[in-house]
Amino acid sequence: VQTTQNFNNLTINKTGAITNAIISTGDTIRVNGTTTFTRGRLNGPGTIEMLGNIVIGSTFSGGNAPVVVTGTNAQNIQHLGTGVAPGSNWTLDKSSGHVTLTSNVNLGGISGTIFLNNGTFITNAFNLSIGSRPILATNGFVNGELIRTYSSTGVNAFPVGTNAGAA
């Protein structure tokens, strides 16, 4: 990959003995259309930026490449079955638009942080599950159901609500 490589659509479907797709240090894969994670793992340290819809397949095995959901268009995210979502860190950084869940989505399969910099996850009738990952919210939030596991007592962030501040 060059420093930044743009794709219209991207499907990761690794089979055989080597199932890792790797993004090298300093490199970014930017997907303007649909990103589909079918089979294998996506590892970094490079980053994947997704500006279109996201599909996480039932046989995907995760990976540690940082994930950035960005852009100005409305996006959908769908999680099919029990596949593990990629990404050590997930960053929501949308200057406009939002990300709508079209199924229950589990981002809790791997350790790392959820960064809600800008934008909104809209869950509708579905759940966004993040496991025990830390979540840091600046101007982003979840509008709907957020499932989070706590391993200790004390103050813990739970950034749900609407622009008006109501949950």
Side-chain angles (χ1 to χ4, degrees):
V1 175
Q2 302 169 1
T3 302
T4 297
Q5 181 68 49
N6 289 292
F7 292 91
N8 288 325
N9 297 298
L10 178 68
T11 298
I12 297 176
N13 188 10
K14 298 285 288 179
T15 60
I18 300 174
T19 58
N20 292 329
I22 298 172
I23 306 171
S24 298
T25 301
D27 290 342
T28 299
I29 292 177
R30 180 175 295 131
V31 186
N32 296 303
T34 300
T35 305
T36 304
F37 299 100
T38 302
R39 184 177 294 119
R41 296 173 55 86
L42 181 61
N43 288 324
T47 301
I48 184 165
E49 291 183 356
M50 297 176 287
L51 289 82
N53 294 332
I54 303 161
V55 179
I56 303 164
S58 62
T59 57
F60 200 75
S61 301
N64 64 12
V67 172
V68 178
V69 181
T70 188
T72 58
N73 294 327
Q75 294 169 261
N76 293 324
I77 182 169
Q78 182 179 28
H79 197 160
L80 305 171
T82 59
V84 178
S88 56
N89 294 326
W90 272 72
T91 301
L92 177 65
D93 198 8
K94 296 184 64 62
S95 56
S96 65
H98 52 269
V99 179
T100 301
L101 278 63
T102 60
S103 68
N104 291 327
V105 174
N106 184 354
L107 301 181
I110 295 179
S111 63
T113 302
I114 304 289
F115 296 95
L116 300 177
N117 294 350
N118 292 293
T120 306
F121 279 112
I122 298 174
T123 67
N124 290 322
F126 301 107
N127 300 318
L128 176 62
S129 177
I130 62 169
S132 59
R133 288 179 181 236
I135 189 165
L136 300 174
T138 47
N139 292 316
F141 62 93
V142 176
N143 187 347
E145 294 200 29
L146 173 66
I147 297 174
R148 185 161 184 220
T149 304
Y150 293 103
S151 57
S152 63
T153 60
V155 177
N156 293 290
F158 214 82
V160 297
T162 67
N163 285 332

